[in-house]
Amino acid sequence: MTAIPSFTGDANPYGGGDPYADYRAADFPFTRYADLADRRLGAGVIAANDEFFAQRENLLVPGPAEFDPEHFGHKGKIMDGWETRRRRGASADHPWPTAEDHDWALVRLGAPGVIRGIVVDTAHFRGNYPQAVSVEGTRVAGSPSPQELLGDDVKWTTLVPRTPVGGHAANGFAVDVEQCFTHLRVNQHPDGGIARLRVHGEVIPDPAWLGALGTFDVVALENGGRAEDASDLFYSPASNTIQPGRSHKMDDGWETRRRRDRGHDWIRYRLTAQAQIRALEIDTAYLKGNSAGWASVSVKDGENGAWQEILPRTRLQPDTNHRFVLPAPAVGTQARVDIFPDGGISRLRLFGSLTREGANRLAARHQELGG
């Protein structure tokens, strides 16, 4: 397994020009998983003990943090992140914060899930980042208030122990805890600023909820589906195609580079569990001059199953939602969309219900992970 790169210490003071020119980053293997703290899934920063300089909600803003060296307000430099005031000690004789002093923020994940890795990004926090960070997780049913989450009866599990971090850097942490979590507590020791938080993992849906729905989108990220692989990720991630809602701009879908050969592009998905699919949608919203020309959809049942085409190669229109009712239900655990020759789609929806075997396996995994 590849070691996770780590960064510590101050970054150089900003000297003008590109603010990301000396940013310290790395390719973390766990980023292939979806971001469970994505606002599109319903994630939110629901409380923080301090946000004097910069608001806690900035932690989950999509895209990289921005930096404007001239942007100041009444409280000081305005940063695109979460930043707390400087902590002080109890007296002139002890002006320094104690080892236990720290600031915290509570994050509600967009969907319950198993966390594979966390990125605490301190972009543009060069001399005002925390000395160390730690992250804890818990699982609480329903929609608990911050006061309920901070109650003595809530058990928190350490996901990232107190660890030194670097300023103006993407600080990545692999997580090896086989439990399902709904909320995180992000701690910075003793104070400082964090630009962005990304929480990569696998969604674990509630079998009771899906059972009550009956028919639902069995490839949707919020229902436990995931994009496993794709032929091309040049412009955007394949997981965009299974995000909630319709795409609202071009880069909120999946788009490939222009092909100059006779090949084609594709995405392979893992469904919530074994499911019976009865209808599907392929949406090309906001892809007007770059949508796929044609598309087909196939499913297979089990790792050793054969791919079965459920939608033959079909002409697609730009900026259009295409709906298809299958002539007969198709059973599978995986799906694949092939586009010809290149271009993109914004969303794929596969509507159906879990088979008895699929429902039993999902319920068993949910129970195993603390459901």
Side-chain angles (χ1 to χ4, degrees), residues 45-51 55-56 59 82 84 103-106 146:
V45 187
I46 60 175
N49 72 304
D50 186 292
E51 47 186 328
Q55 296 175 337
R56 64 181 190 257
L59 283 172
W82 168 49
T84 66
D103 293 318
W104 53 262
L106 294 178

Side-chain angles (χ1 to χ4, degrees), residues 52-123:
F52 185 86
F53 286 113
Q55 296 175 337
R56 64 181 190 257
E57 287 87 356
N58 290 334
L59 283 172
L60 306 188
V61 170
E66 298 180 356
F67 180 73
D68 181 352
E70 306 299 326
H71 197 189
F72 285 83
H74 294 295
K75 294 181 179 180
K77 180 73 184 73
I78 295 176
M79 298 293 288
D80 184 9
W82 168 49
E83 185 179 7
T84 66
R85 72 194 79 197
R86 298 185 188 223
R87 282 183 170 270
R88 299 300 187 223
S91 67
D93 292 333
H94 298 280
W96 309 278
T98 70
E100 292 74 32
D101 286 342
H102 68 279
D103 293 318
W104 53 262
L106 294 178
V107 177
R108 179 191 64 241
L109 298 181
V114 177
I115 297 168
R116 301 303 183 192
I118 295 173
V119 178
V120 176
D121 192 341
T122 58

Side-chain angles (χ1 to χ4, degrees), residues 3 12 24 28 35 38 61 65 67 80 84 91 134 146 157 159 161 165 168 216 241 247 251 257 283 292 301 364:
N12 294 325
R24 294 177 287 178
F28 302 118
D35 181 9
D38 193 321
V61 170
F67 180 73
D80 184 9
T84 66
S91 67
S134 61
T157 299
L159 304 178
V165 295
H168 196 44
F216 59 92
T241 60
S247 172
D251 66 349
R257 74 190 82 195
D283 196 353
D301 188 23

